Amino acid sequence: MKPRHCAGCGRPDPWEDVGQGRVRCRACGFVVWSNPVPVALAVQPVGRGVLLVRRAQDPGRGLWALPGGYLNPHEAPEDAARRELQEETAVVGRHPQLVAVVGGLRDNTLIIAYRMEPLVDLQAPVTAAPEEVLDVQVFSLDELPLLAFSVHEEILAAVFKEP
Ligand SMILES: [Zn+2]
């Protein structure tokens, strides 16, 4: 996604298309690479269900999703998945295992999903980030709500596929 002003020289709308989804400033040559942005997700099994959050922000405001978010500078993706899980649900994820790396082609993200060690039970889950999350709930796998992102559905289907 290109900004209005060039970060190199500050000129407004200086962009020319140089192919492969990139633009370059006509004045100073600064290139906006637009590489996919990594997003870390946490799949936290609880009993025979999975922990989901109801999003407080767009995209998908009001819909359910796997906990997760962008990586902090120099943060490993598994650490980001655990941090986001804890921030959004107050659950401390243990032993993250990589379960999916998927290009979110429409929004130019790269989703990196980790499954945490299953919890036996979770009483009255709450969020520690009410500005990001409206609600936290454990859903049975055969009664999942409408999710904000179809790729989250695909990840859940793959992770919990019957052998
Ligand atoms: Zn420039």
Side-chain angles (χ1 to χ4, degrees), residues 6 8-9 25 28 30:
C6 175
C9 68
C25 176
C28 75
F30 182 89

Side-chain angles (χ1 to χ4, degrees), residues 37-157:
V37 178
V39 172
L41 295 183
V43 178
Q44 176 62 70
V46 181
R48 297 183 58 79
V50 65
L51 189 61
L52 298 177
V53 297
R54 195 153 77 91
R55 295 174 58 81
Q57 295 175 357
D58 279 322
R61 183 184 150 77
L63 298 177
W64 294 87
L66 289 165
Y70 298 115
L71 281 61
N72 284 339
H74 307 288
E75 185 177 39
E78 63 269 32
D79 293 337
R82 296 181 73 226
R83 176 181 52 75
E84 290 283 349
L85 176 66
Q86 187 168 9
E87 286 174 5
E88 295 185 357
T89 73
V91 169
V92 178
R94 291 172 55 82
H95 305 304
Q97 271 200 314
L98 180 65
V99 289
V101 178
V102 187
L105 303 182
R106 191 165 46 90
D107 58 4
N108 199 31
T109 57
L110 177 69
I111 289 168
I112 309 170
Y114 293 87
R115 181 183 56 211
M116 306 298 171
E117 191 172 271
L119 292 172
V120 175
D121 194 12
L122 182 63
Q123 298 294 330
V126 290
T127 182
E131 69 284 353
E132 292 177 42
V133 168
L134 298 170
D135 197 6
V136 182
Q137 206 172 308
V138 176
F139 286 91
S140 170
L141 293 168
D142 48 15
E143 291 178 1
L144 291 177
L146 185 61
L147 297 187
F149 310 104
S150 59
V151 67
H152 290 202
E153 293 174 14
E154 292 159 17
I155 289 169
L156 284 171

Side-chain angles (χ1 to χ4, degrees), residues 5-11 14-15 24-31:
H5 290 85
C6 175
C9 68
R11 282 187 177 76
W15 306 117
R24 180 171 57 203
C25 176
R26 284 192 188 83
C28 75
F30 182 89
V31 174

